Each structure stands twice: as C-alpha cells, then as structure tokens.
Amino acid sequence: MIPQLPQGWPSVMAAVAILAVVAWGAGWVATRILHRVISGVTSRTRSTWDDRLIERGVFRRLAGVVPAVVVYLGIGRALELAPSDLTGEALALAATFVRRVAAAYIAFTVVRAFQAFLDAVNDIYNEGYAEAKSRPIKGYLQVAALVAYLAAGVVIVAALTGQSPVVYLSGLGALAAVLMLVFRDTILSLVASIQIASNDMIRIGDWVSVPQAGSDGEVIDIALHTVKVQNWDKTISTIPTNKFITESFKNWRGMSESGGRRIKRSLRLDMNSVRFLTEDEIGELSRRELLRDYMRESVAAITRYNEEKAAGNPGVIPEIRRLTNLGTFRVYVQKYLEAHPKTHKDMTLLTRQLAPGPEGVPIEVYCFSNDTAWANYEGFQGDIFDHLIATLPEFGLRAFQAPGGSDFRKALARGA
C-alpha cells in the first residue's frame, strides 16, 4: 500500500523549502557580508594576529554554523509542530532527525573552526616570538586539536543517537586500554615533544645528523608526530619525533653558537725526506718571519748543549742535538696558524705529529676557524693545506702519495 501523505503536506513542503532558502540566505550573509566586514576591519589594524585568523579561515568556518542553527531552530515551525507534539508521528520523527543532524553538523563545524584557530595561533607564535625556533608549540597544538576532535566525535554520536554525551564519556574508562593501544604513537610523540622542548634538544633551523635515518641537514618543521629535515641535497627526511629521544643524533648548533668550527686534517709526509738541516738551510730558514725567533733561540740552545757535550770524555763521540726539517716544519705550521687572521685564537690550536705508518708520517692540523659558514670554512681549510703543500720543498720535505701511472712510466723510462 502507498503510504498516505498527511493532510496539508503542500504547505509543509513549502515551509520546508522556505526554511531551506532562509538557511541558505543566512549562510550566504554570514559567509560573504560578515566575512568581508571582518576582513575590512582587520586590514586596517596594525596588528597581524587578526590577519592570521582571516588567512586560516576561522570566521569563514564559523559562518558555516549559521545555516545549521537556522535549520535546528526552524524545523519545528516549518513542520507546523509544537514542542509538545514532537513524538509519535512521522513528522515529529522527521523533525527530530533533522535537528539531530543539524546539531551534529554544528559540532563538526565548530571543531573545524577550532582547528583553524589553533593553526592561526601557531602562525602568530612563530611570527611574533623569538622563542618560536627554540620552543615550537605545534606539537602541543596538535594534541589540543586531537582532544577537540575526540570530544566533537562524542558530541556528534550523542547528538545523532539522542543520548547525553555523559553516557559515552562514562564508557571511556573501560576503553582506556584500547585507547592506549590506538594512540600509542601519539602518546610517545607527546612525551618526546615535551622532553625535546624542556631540554632544548632541537630547534627549527638546527643542523642535525641522524645516521639511523640517513639524514643530514636542517630542521624545517617540528610537529607532534614527525620532525622534517631538509637534507643538503634538498631532499626531505621525515623522522618520527620519538626517535630523537630513543636514538642518538648529532646537533651542530653548539658549533654555530661557539663561533668556531674545527679543522682536523693530516698532511702525510714521505719519511725518506726527513733529515737534519744543513747550515745553509738553517741560515735561510732563520730569515723567515715566522721562524726567526724560534731559529735564533733553538740554535743558541743547541749550541750551548753541544758545547757542554764536547767538553766531556774526548774518547767518546758525544750525542749532539741538531735541527730536523720535519721538526722545523711542524713549528712553522704552528706559527703560521697562530698568525693567520681566520683562526679562532680562543680555541685549541696545535700541530702534532701522529704515529708513522705505511703511508708516511702524518702532521695533523688541529684548530678552529672563526667563520662557521660552510663555504667560508671549506675555503679557509683548503687555503691552509694549499699553502703547506706548496711550502714543503722549502724544508726539503715531500708529501706522501701512492704511486700512479705517471710514476711507473718514469721508472720504466729510466730503466730503459
């Protein structure tokens, strides 16, 4: 059987159509006119926080509540029902259903507007506070948004079923274990975010190296669940936030803040070129600006020592002291670094000889550049070793390197 429509249904349908038009009109007014008025007012203010609210669409999303409120309040009158008549009849059930859907939509729209508001708060904080890089709040705002969506979900389900939200909230205790399992990663990320912020472990703009993730670059975003690192090859690595607590990583911020960047590199010398200096070489090296004082003091000390040794038993060859080209070169490198304007004088600066091996005897330069910029640092480091390699022949030294094809051809040519 075809169900009979209630008496006066054309007037009811007309009223529903009018309600739909009124709701659409209210939404249009709220979205267009009110939004434009608010935008015009905020554009004339000097502060920028209201501009961020406009850009994130907070008022535009809130305006979506207006048509739902109109439908919620007007559906009873449109169906020609009094509040006491809203039970037991088809129209009453329809009105109840529409009201529940409208209430659920209102809750959903409000939580979306709240999400936009939190995004605007993050923008305002990043733009207006110097602590934004060292203590980002994006992770905490994401937690607040998550809680808001959970609360909105409970309200929506309660509105659709006609139950009180308290009924569903009271059952959450029994689901605590399930929620802990579902939101395990979120809880770990929240704890990690708190530890990172409280210990100031990473900031936006820090250079970090995370070997486990194959990442080496600059931190560009710190969120609740992930930290984004832009590697030096311009790729993006997304690393779980809790990995910065459970695994080791290197933060280069201390180097940048100290004002000095370490140079630790060895120059390997051929041990066959190490020998004592001749008198002519001593005289020539004594004329160098950086070695003049050292040569004068060393020659005087050695002369006194050798004279005392010569006054001993004439039948014994005394073990006299002599200057070596390697030792003199090591002193020259030290003096050269101390005099260079780009070395950091308040940090460790030394030249040392490491243990000899199959690849020669290493002379290690250990100092700090006073310019931490990568390109400038690499240029300074290159200049140092360019100069030292070019200076080796003046001390009668040779750099060690494995023989190449040209070396074998020369040897074969000499043999032929």
Side-chain angles (χ1 to χ4, degrees):
M1 296 178 60
I2 300 177
Q4 297 294 325
L5 294 176
Q7 295 181 356
W9 67 268
S11 61
V12 172
M13 295 300 295
V16 171
I18 293 174
L19 177 63
V21 172
V22 172
W24 177 86
W28 186 87
V29 171
T31 303
R32 302 283 180 161
I33 299 179
L34 184 61
H35 180 71
R36 289 182 180 180
V37 171
I38 295 176
S39 299
V41 173
T42 56
S43 64
R44 293 182 176 87
T45 60
R46 294 183 178 180
S47 59
T48 59
W49 63 267
D50 47 4
D51 297 327
R52 302 292 85 80
L53 294 175
I54 294 294
E55 292 174 0
R56 287 294 183 176
V58 176
F59 300 109
R60 175 169 46 82
R61 294 186 180 185
L62 279 176
V65 175
V66 175
V69 172
V70 172
V71 170
Y72 182 86
L73 297 177
I75 188 63
R77 184 176 296 275
L79 296 179
E80 299 181 349
L81 295 173
S84 59
D85 298 330
L86 293 180
T87 56
E89 297 181 1
L91 291 181
L93 293 176
T96 302
F97 174 76
V98 171
R99 281 190 171 183
R100 290 179 179 180
V101 172
Y105 180 79
I106 291 172
F108 176 71
T109 305
V110 169
V111 76
R112 290 185 69 245
F114 182 69
Q115 170 70 69
F117 173 75
L118 294 180
D119 293 338
V121 169
N122 186 57
D123 293 340
I124 296 168
Y125 178 74
N126 290 335
E127 293 177 1
Y129 295 88
E131 301 85 359
K133 286 188 174 182
S134 60
R135 300 189 180 278
I137 62 172
K138 186 175 182 179
Y140 305 121
L141 295 179
Q142 288 179 331
V143 172
L146 177 61
V147 172
Y149 272 105
L150 290 175
V154 172
V155 172
I156 290 172
V157 173
L160 292 176
T161 57
Q163 299 290 331
S164 172
V166 179
V167 175
Y168 296 96
L169 291 176
S170 61
L172 292 180
L175 298 177
V178 176
L179 292 176
M180 290 287 289
L181 180 61
V182 172
F183 296 104
R184 173 181 174 273
D185 292 338
T186 300
I187 295 171
L188 291 176
S189 298
L190 175 60
V191 174
S193 298
I194 295 174
Q195 291 181 343
I196 288 173
S198 60
N199 296 320
D200 196 16
M201 298 174 64
I202 54 174
R203 305 175 185 173
I204 295 176
D206 282 356
W207 171 13
V208 297
S209 299
V210 189
Q212 297 85 346
S215 178
D216 185 23
E218 181 181 350
V219 177
I220 60 174
D221 184 52
I222 302 175
L224 175 62
H225 294 92
T226 59
V227 174
K228 289 184 179 180
V229 178
Q230 185 176 51
N231 301 310
W232 300 126
D233 60 358
K234 299 305 179 183
T235 58
I236 303 294
S237 294
T238 302
I239 306 171
T241 305
N242 63 306
K243 294 296 183 182
F244 287 88
I245 301 299
T246 59
E247 298 180 1
S248 62
F249 70 98
K250 182 184 290 185
N251 191 330
W252 295 83
R253 188 204 315 155
M255 177 271 295
S256 301
E257 293 179 346
S258 68
R261 188 167 182 177
R262 188 183 70 172
I263 296 174
K264 185 176 181 290
R265 181 181 290 183
S266 298
L267 179 62
R268 298 183 178 275
L269 305 179
D270 188 349
M271 285 188 286
N272 293 322
S273 65
V274 178
R275 56 178 174 78
F276 294 111
L277 292 174
T278 64
E279 292 296 332
D280 292 339
E281 289 173 332
I282 292 175
E284 182 66 26
L285 293 174
S286 297
R287 298 172 55 189
R288 300 185 71 102
E289 178 185 1
L290 297 178
L291 291 174
R292 185 171 53 185
D293 295 337
Y294 167 76
M295 296 298 289
R296 183 177 66 251
E297 295 172 1
S298 297
V299 169
I302 289 174
T303 301
R304 288 194 301 269
Y305 178 85
N306 292 340
E307 288 176 351
E308 294 175 358
K309 282 288 186 178
N313 189 343
V316 178
I317 299 176
E319 187 64 35
I320 62 175
R321 291 171 57 188
R322 286 179 287 181
L323 290 173
T324 64
N325 58 350
L326 180 58
T328 305
F329 176 72
R330 189 176 68 251
V331 173
Y332 171 77
V333 175
Q334 180 75 20
K335 299 292 184 181
Y336 175 76
L337 295 175
E338 291 175 353
H340 203 291
K342 292 186 178 181
T343 54
H344 203 299
K345 305 305 187 295
D346 296 330
M347 296 184 178
T348 304
L349 192 156
L350 60 87
T351 304
R352 60 176 181 166
Q353 180 184 135
L354 303 181
E359 296 181 350
V361 54
I363 299 297
E364 184 182 75
V365 170
Y366 192 105
C367 65
F368 288 81
S369 167
N370 57 20
D371 191 341
T372 60
W374 192 359
N376 299 336
Y377 160 80
E378 293 291 352
F380 172 48
Q381 183 172 232
D383 290 342
I384 289 177
F385 284 88
D386 290 347
H387 177 81
L388 297 183
I389 293 172
T391 308
L392 286 177
E394 300 180 16
F395 291 84
L397 294 167
R398 294 189 304 271
F400 178 89
Q401 63 180 15
S406 60
D407 299 312
F408 289 115
R409 283 195 298 269
K410 290 179 182 178
L412 293 172
R414 286 196 297 268

